[in-house]
């Protein structure tokens, strides 16, 4: 298949080193940056299905909800309600560009600190909100926090991890996102039972807990060797590399880092450089992968899981419970990805997960069509509802071991040092822009597309699965500073990379050129 020949599993080198306790702990602490993103995804859907919250801020939606014969597809269709959810992602988009500069000039850990602090303030504002304006200002501050954390955490994890375990450690970020989502759904389930009607305040204010974790954690995190070299601290970088690899034998890896750092130092304008022909493959992936990740339809489930289940005829408690079940599936399926990503590789997980999601979306769309048709009215029996939940869970599992974690992992590991912060910013901003679009438009799309919305997303998953099969080479086990060899040996992307653009050194270029160190196509 046209996946391209891949560089061997060492990318030409197999650096010595092991997974040290120090690296494991720092990666766990850094990955907690995913908690704030996950908590917000999980909390917003539950809060927007709570009657006291709707009565106070969105009375029109509350009234529509009470009408007995409301069209099930349209009862939550309200632009202001969607703006409450989506404003965070627009703020995150803008913040990610500022985060790129902070990440490059001050280091990865300070971006995490800024993200945690801003999210903390946003959580306080949301919990104390008296009007919609306070709610949305709080959401914007939360978005700034998410933008900084999502920009810096995946890069930090990819730089700290040994090449052969980079996938596993980087997916810790996605695991924390899923844990944040699950925690939020459990909290929503509990706070919804508070009789006094202030449960939504507790749900929103508790976002301060994951914010405090990453804020405090980032203070104690060390900087990556890549960042230290980039900022002109070679001896500190050497010491840190020895410490994180657990060996004195770091000469070869350190030499590659120095070469990458010297090349990075010559780049005065990373945003202009990233447009150069030789980075075409990486730039394409940084735009297309997050774009496709949002068009899987996952945020339809995760943002609005309680709203969606209630729309499908579940009662209030049942809808929240169903979203807790999908949250649990999300966590366990992400663990599957952690265990398998460095063994089976990125491409196989992408392709298998895509196929699973296509089938599930078609089945869910058909089940909903059979019960609600185009009118949006009708009742759903308990057994039928259970079938819908089963297929939605299977869809979530497919996403959670493929497009969920890999949508963050692959873009964070493919960029050379000189444009890495800019590349990650593009990845985050594209992700946030399309998350914003989906959040802003989903309830309106559900109202107009009805059950066809699931077919709409299934069609996109077909397109993205074909794209991966054709254009994404395997990147597992390749040292991050040697990733150019992967693109140089790919059937399509090699035409964009001249021989003189490959600065890995030694005879690796020759091997990439003549294919002598390839294992064949990974497909």
């Amino acid at each position: 298949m046209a996946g391209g020949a891949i560089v061997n599993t060492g990318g030409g080198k197999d650096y010595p080193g092991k997974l040290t306790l120090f690296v494991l702990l720092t990666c766990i602490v850094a990955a907690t940056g995913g908690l704030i993103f996950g908590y917000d995804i999980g909390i917003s859907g539950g809060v927007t299905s709570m009657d006291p919250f709707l009565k106070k801020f969105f009375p029109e939606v509350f009234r529509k909800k009470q009408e007995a014969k409301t069209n099930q597809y349209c009862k939550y269709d309200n632009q202001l309600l969607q703006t409450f959810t989506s404003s965070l992602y627009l703020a995150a988009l803008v913040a990610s560009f500022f985060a790129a500069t902070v990440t490059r000039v001050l280091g990865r850990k300070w971006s995490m600190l800024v993200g945690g602090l801003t999210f903390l303030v946003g959580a306080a504002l949301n919990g104390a909100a008296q009007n919609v304006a306070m709610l949305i200002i709080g959401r914007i501050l939360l978005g700034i926090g998410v933008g900084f954390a999502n920009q810096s955490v995946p890069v930090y994890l990819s730089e700290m991890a040994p090449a052969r375990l980079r996938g596993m450690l980087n997916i810790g970020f996605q695991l924390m996102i899923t844990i944040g989502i699950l925690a939020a759904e459990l909290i929503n389930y509990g706070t919804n039972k508070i009789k006094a009607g202030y449960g939504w305040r507790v749900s929103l204010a508790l976002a301060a807990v994951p914010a405090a974790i990453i804020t405090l954690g980032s203070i104690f995190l060390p900087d990556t060797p890549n960042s230290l070299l980039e900022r002109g601290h070679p001896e500190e970088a050497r010491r840190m590399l020895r410490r994180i690899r657990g060996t004195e034998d770091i000469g070869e890896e350190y030499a590659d880092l120095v070469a990458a750092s010297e090349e990075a130092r010559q780049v005065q304008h990373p945003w202009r450089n990233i447009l150069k022909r030789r980075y075409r493959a990486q730039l394409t992936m940084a735009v297309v992968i997050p774009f496709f990740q949002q068009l899987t339809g996952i945020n339809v489930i995760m943002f609005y899981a309680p709203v969606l289940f209630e729309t499908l005829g579940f009662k209030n408690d049942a809808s929240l419970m169903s979203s807790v079940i999908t949250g649990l599936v999300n966590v366990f399926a992400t663990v599957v990805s952690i265990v398998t990503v460095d063994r089976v590789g990125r491409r196989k997980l992408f392709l298998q997960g895509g196929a699973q999601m296509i089938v599930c979306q078609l089945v869910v769309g058909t089940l909903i069509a059979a019960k609600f048709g185009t009118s949006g009215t009708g009742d759903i029996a308990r057994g039928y509802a259970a079938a819908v939940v089963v297929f939605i869970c299977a869809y979530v599992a497919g996403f959670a071991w493929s497009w969920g974690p890999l949508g963050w992992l692959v873009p964070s590991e493919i960029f050379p040092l000189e444009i890495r912060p800019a590349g990650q910013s593009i990845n985050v901003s594209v992700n946030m822009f399309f998350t914003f679009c989906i959040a802003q438009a989903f309830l309106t799309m559900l109202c107009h597309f009805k059950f066809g919305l699931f077919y709409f997303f299934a069609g996109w998953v077909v397109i993205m699965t074909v794209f991966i099969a054709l254009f994404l080479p395997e990147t597992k086990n390749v040292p991050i500073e040697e990733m150019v060899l992967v693109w140089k040996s790919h059937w399509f992307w090699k035409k964009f990379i001249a021989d003189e653009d490959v600065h890995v050194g030694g005879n690796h270029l020759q091997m990439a050129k003549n294919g002598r160190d390839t294992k064949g196509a990974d497909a």
Side-chain angles (χ1 to χ4, degrees):
M1 183 181 287
I6 60 168
V7 183
N8 72 12
T9 55
K13 292 180 185 174
D14 184 16
Y15 298 134
K18 57 192 176 183
L19 177 60
T20 62
L21 182 61
F22 178 70
V23 167
L24 182 62
L25 291 176
T26 55
C27 286
I28 289 171
V29 172
T32 59
L35 285 174
I36 61 176
F37 189 30
Y39 187 87
D40 182 80
I41 290 172
I43 217 70
S44 53
V47 164
T48 51
S49 72
M50 292 182 187
D51 287 347
F53 177 81
L54 292 174
K55 199 183 296 185
K56 182 171 179 62
F57 297 108
F58 305 98
E60 185 186 327
V61 178
F62 177 71
R63 278 194 302 274
K64 207 189 291 187
K65 219 180 134 184
Q66 305 311 304
E67 292 171 14
K69 299 207 173 192
T70 299
N71 181 329
Q72 292 292 329
Y73 297 124
C74 297
K75 66 182 181 182
Y76 284 96
D77 181 19
N78 180 278
Q79 281 302 308
L80 190 59
L81 179 61
Q82 291 175 119
T83 301
F84 161 72
T85 300
S86 63
S87 55
L88 179 145
Y89 302 97
L90 201 55
L93 186 162
V94 175
S96 67
F97 291 105
F98 293 98
T101 303
V102 174
T103 301
R104 190 178 192 206
V105 175
L106 299 179
R108 287 51 169 151
K109 61 178 284 182
W110 296 109
S111 266
M112 296 183 217
L113 181 64
V114 171
L117 284 172
T118 324
F119 201 90
L120 203 55
V121 177
L125 259 183
N126 269 181
Q130 297 301 317
N131 50 51
V132 174
M134 270 184 85
L135 269 184
I136 291 177
I137 291 168
R139 293 285 293 170
I140 289 169
L141 289 170
L142 295 177
I144 293 170
V146 166
F148 270 83
N150 286 13
Q151 203 280 341
S152 51
V153 172
V155 169
Y156 184 93
L157 294 171
S158 286
E159 290 180 346
M160 290 295 277
R164 62 190 173 81
L165 297 172
R166 188 175 59 246
M168 181 189 82
L169 292 173
N170 190 288
I171 290 175
F173 177 66
Q174 178 68 17
L175 179 63
M176 291 296 179
I177 291 176
T178 63
I179 290 171
I181 292 170
L182 177 61
E185 287 165 343
L186 289 167
I187 286 165
N188 279 336
Y189 185 71
T191 59
N192 192 48
K193 297 181 181 298
I194 296 175
K195 302 286 187 205
Y198 59 82
W200 62 270
R201 287 195 188 277
V202 177
S203 290
L204 292 177
L206 281 175
V209 175
I213 291 171
I214 185 58
T215 302
L216 292 172
S218 62
I219 293 170
F220 298 102
L221 284 176
D223 251 327
T224 67
N226 315 62
S227 178
L228 289 166
L229 269 172
E230 188 179 26
R231 293 182 290 117
H233 305 292
E235 285 312 308
E236 285 181 54
R238 191 190 291 271
R239 279 196 299 273
M240 183 54 63
L241 190 59
R242 280 198 201 100
R243 190 172 183 193
I244 65 176
R245 295 294 177 255
T247 177
E248 293 293 316
D249 185 13
I250 56 156
E252 203 171 9
E253 183 174 6
Y254 184 73
D256 275 350
L257 291 180
V258 169
S261 177
E262 285 171 357
E263 190 168 348
R265 215 168 278 125
Q266 293 167 17
V267 175
Q268 299 300 316
H269 306 287
W271 292 102
R272 191 186 305 159
N273 259 57
I274 205 170
L275 299 175
K276 288 185 175 177
R277 181 179 173 84
R278 66 186 178 196
Y279 301 129
R280 195 67 47 83
Q282 296 97 322
L283 181 59
T284 300
M285 294 301 162
V287 172
V288 171
I289 287 178
F291 166 70
F292 281 155
Q293 189 191 48
Q294 296 315 308
L295 284 169
T296 57
I298 187 62
N299 285 336
V300 170
I301 304 296
M302 290 306 169
F303 282 163
Y304 298 110
V307 172
L308 183 66
F309 283 120
E310 201 170 323
T311 296
L312 294 176
F314 290 63
K315 299 303 177 195
N316 209 26
D317 259 6
S319 72
L320 286 165
M321 195 63 236
S322 299
S323 67
V324 168
I325 292 168
T326 59
L328 278 167
V329 171
N330 200 12
V331 172
F332 286 116
T334 303
V335 173
V336 171
S337 188
I338 287 174
V339 171
T340 58
V341 68
D342 290 314
R343 296 179 188 175
V344 305
R346 284 65 159 152
R347 277 171 49 81
K348 285 180 181 173
L349 286 177
F350 265 131
L351 297 175
Q352 189 282 327
Q356 185 169 321
M357 286 190 287
I358 292 163
V359 171
C360 293
Q361 282 166 317
L362 292 174
V363 171
V364 170
T366 304
L367 288 172
I368 294 171
K371 277 298 174 186
F372 293 120
T374 55
S375 68
T377 56
D379 292 314
I380 189 165
R382 180 175 292 182
Y384 208 88
V388 172
V389 172
V390 165
F391 279 101
I392 285 179
C393 286
Y395 160 79
V396 169
F399 176 86
W401 59 54
S402 64
W403 279 92
L406 301 181
W408 293 107
L409 167 61
V410 172
S412 75
E413 69 182 358
I414 60 176
F415 280 98
L417 183 62
E418 64 267 21
I419 55 167
R420 194 170 296 151
Q424 183 65 7
S425 281
I426 290 170
N427 176 42
V428 172
S429 60
V430 171
N431 192 300
M432 292 300 114
F433 176 72
F434 285 101
T435 306
F436 165 77
C437 292
I438 296 293
Q440 187 63 31
F442 163 63
L443 294 174
T444 303
M445 287 170 74
L446 181 62
C447 184
H448 291 87
F449 282 36
K450 303 176 172 58
F451 60 84
L453 185 61
F454 292 91
Y455 298 152
F456 170 80
F457 286 121
W460 277 107
V461 180
V462 171
I463 293 168
M464 62 186 74
T465 303
V466 171
F467 174 85
I468 292 296
L470 293 174
F471 297 112
L472 183 71
E474 184 54 71
T475 56
K476 71 170 181 175
N477 299 337
V478 180
I480 197 167
E481 304 305 343
E482 291 193 10
M483 201 62 71
V484 66
L485 298 178
V486 172
W487 305 107
K488 184 64 177 169
S489 63
H490 187 268
W491 73 274
F492 179 77
W493 299 116
K494 65 183 178 183
K495 68 182 78 168
F496 297 97
I497 305 170
D499 291 352
E500 58 269 21
D501 293 332
V502 182
H503 299 139
V504 175
N507 60 358
H508 298 97
L509 171 58
Q510 189 60 36
M511 287 191 288
K513 283 166 62 183
N514 62 23
R516 282 201 296 264
D517 83 336
T518 59
K519 295 275 190 181
D522 182 38

